[in-house]
Amino acid sequence: MAELRAAEHAAASELSEAAQAELLELCEEQFSQLEKLQNEITLSEPDYCENPQEQSVNRLIATEAELKQWLAVEPKLLAVNSEVLLEAGKEEMLKLCSELEMVASCYEAKTDKLKETKELELKWLEEKKQVLLAASDRAERLQMDKEKISELSVLRDTKAKIQKMKVYQETLMECLGDVLEKHAPLPQIEFSTNRKKTNIDLGINGNLISLNEILEVLMNKVLSTPHDTYVTIDDTFWPPYIELLLRYGIAVRHQENHFKIRLETFF
């Protein structure tokens, strides 16, 4: 930039006397024309208007008319001397270079600032990614632990419920056995010397099973083979027990085979 300034001063000193005289004459001519225009404007100004709004409108109209006139005027060279035009062009170029240098300097400063901001944002983004990754891993581990705990708790609860049901079932079966043993005992054979009745005379089999055992057989059949719940009646089933179960709707007989019964469906 200093070199450009030095070249400017050197070029100005190298102007010929004729060019300097022409430039001075042109400046005086333009100054005289400016004074003339100023006097015409002063003389053509209207009287003072008491209404400020009307005065503003008049000034606006005058300014628009002047703008249209300047737009219609074709630009002219201030001088025809090549030396003067060259020096004027150099001066404009030096001014433009100075402005461009300022713009470039501002652009570089802004670019450096943006680079610094970008580096900070990238660093912040990397930190956030690390935090997100750690949080995701932590959440995944917690979810796995929760699932494990949930599965274990469900398994423990299920086992406890099964054990509780087994105990309850055993209790019910014991109560049922006690009730059946009391109210539906196996037939007892009483020997009498006078009548001399035997098991064969009464038709009672010595291998009879109790009513409780019959119910257990029927229930086990339902649980083991749900598709075929019928049990075949043999000589270990005491007929009065079968009739008792059929009469009170606890068991039903097979429609085709009367030697088969099953537990009634209660659900």
Side-chain angles (χ1 to χ4, degrees):
M1 190 64 188
E3 294 178 357
L4 293 176
R5 294 296 183 184
E8 179 185 0
H9 292 297
S13 61
E14 292 177 358
L15 282 176
S16 60
E17 294 182 358
Q20 292 180 5
E22 183 179 354
L23 186 59
L24 290 174
E25 182 179 356
L26 183 61
C27 290
E28 290 178 357
E29 181 180 352
Q30 294 294 328
F31 184 74
S32 300
Q33 187 177 358
L34 183 61
E35 286 184 345
K36 181 179 177 181
L37 292 174
Q38 182 67 31
N39 293 331
E40 290 179 358
I41 291 172
T42 303
L43 294 175
S44 62
E45 284 184 354
D47 296 337
Y48 177 74
C49 183
E50 294 183 356
N51 191 350
Q53 185 175 1
E54 184 179 355
Q55 185 178 3
S56 300
V57 172
N58 293 335
R59 288 181 180 179
L60 178 61
I61 294 174
T63 303
E64 290 179 352
E66 185 178 358
L67 176 61
K68 292 179 180 179
Q69 184 178 1
W70 279 107
L71 290 175
V73 174
E74 296 183 358
K76 297 180 180 180
L77 295 176
L78 296 177
V80 295
N81 193 311
S82 59
E83 293 184 9
V84 175
L85 294 177
L86 179 61
E87 292 302 321
K90 288 182 178 179
E91 183 177 357
E92 289 296 327
M93 289 297 296
L94 291 173
K95 182 179 179 181
L96 180 61
C97 288
S98 177
E99 293 177 354
L100 290 176
E101 285 181 356
M102 293 177 63
V103 172
S105 178
C106 294
Y107 177 77
E108 290 177 357
K110 187 174 181 179
T111 302
D112 294 338
K113 183 66 177 178
L114 290 176
K115 287 181 179 179
E116 183 180 356
T117 304
K118 180 183 177 181
E119 291 178 356
L120 293 175
E121 292 292 336
L122 290 175
K123 184 179 179 181
W124 178 83
L125 179 61
E126 187 65 24
E127 292 177 354
K128 294 302 178 182
K129 285 182 178 179
Q130 295 296 330
V131 172
L132 179 60
L133 182 61
S136 300
D137 294 339
R138 177 63 176 170
E140 186 176 357
R141 288 197 299 270
L142 290 175
Q143 184 66 24
M144 294 176 63
D145 295 340
K146 181 180 179 181
E147 292 177 357
K148 290 180 180 179
I149 294 173
S150 179
E151 292 177 358
L152 291 175
S153 62
V154 171
L155 183 59
R156 287 196 298 267
D157 293 342
T158 305
K159 288 182 177 180
K161 289 179 180 179
I162 292 174
Q163 186 64 28
K164 186 177 180 180
M165 290 301 296
K166 286 182 178 180
V167 173
Y168 184 65
Q169 181 185 6
E170 291 177 358
T171 304
L172 289 179
M173 294 304 294
E174 290 178 0
C175 293
L176 179 61
D178 294 339
V179 172
L180 293 177
E181 184 178 1
K182 180 179 179 180
H183 297 282
L186 283 172
Q188 300 292 330
I189 305 301
E190 296 181 356
F191 294 95
S192 175
T193 56
N194 296 327
R195 297 183 181 180
K196 298 182 180 180
K197 293 182 180 180
T198 61
N199 293 347
I200 298 175
D201 297 333
L202 296 174
I204 299 175
N205 188 356
N207 296 326
L208 291 177
I209 60 176
S210 63
L211 183 57
N212 185 22
E213 292 174 337
I214 295 175
L215 291 174
E216 287 185 4
V217 171
L218 293 174
M219 287 188 289
N220 292 332
K221 186 65 176 177
V222 172
L223 295 175
S224 60
T225 56
H227 59 283
D228 184 15
T229 58
Y230 285 94
V231 176
T232 302
I233 301 173
D234 56 16
D235 55 355
T236 60
F237 288 72
W238 195 34
Y241 285 164
I242 303 301
E243 293 300 327
L244 176 65
L245 296 177
L246 295 174
R247 181 176 298 177
Y248 290 100
I250 300 174
V252 293
R253 197 183 296 275
H254 197 279
Q255 295 180 356
E256 298 178 357
N257 189 350
H258 295 289
F259 293 97
K260 288 186 177 182
I261 62 173
R262 67 172 175 85
L263 196 66
E264 179 62 274
T265 303
F266 298 99
F267 54 86

